[in-house]
Amino acid sequence: MTAPFFSVISPVYNRAGPLRRALQSVLAQTCQDFEIVVIDDGSRDDPRAVAESFADPRIRFFRQENAGGGAA
């Protein structure tokens, strides 16, 4: 597997709804040589389910305890 041309980093905290729209937007782009890294900063909603619902191997999901946007 070769490294993607670019990465889209999306830190989220209690924003599972908007995450769906953000992922759809990235996936709809013309250039498809990317990865999307979603970092859940201790959300109480379920952004993992949103990310996994796309079943796209370019979407990588990580969860950490809440530490703020800069840490995510």
Side-chain angles (χ1 to χ4, degrees):
M1 179 179 210
T2 61
F5 182 65
F6 65 94
S7 300
V8 176
I9 312 300
S10 183
V12 293
Y13 178 70
N14 294 334
R15 304 296 288 166
L19 176 62
R20 176 170 303 284
R21 291 189 306 275
L23 295 176
Q24 289 170 333
S25 177
V26 176
L27 292 169
Q29 299 303 305
T30 303
C31 178
Q32 291 289 300
D33 189 11
F34 59 78
E35 69 176 346
I36 304 170
V37 180
V38 178
I39 304 170
D40 174 16
D41 191 35
S43 296
R44 286 173 260 160
D45 57 3
D46 195 5
R48 178 183 297 275
V50 172
E52 290 177 351
S53 74
F54 286 90
D56 190 313
R58 295 172 296 175
I59 300 174
R60 300 173 57 208
F61 186 89
F62 300 91
R63 186 176 198 290
Q64 67 180 27
E65 292 303 313
N66 184 261

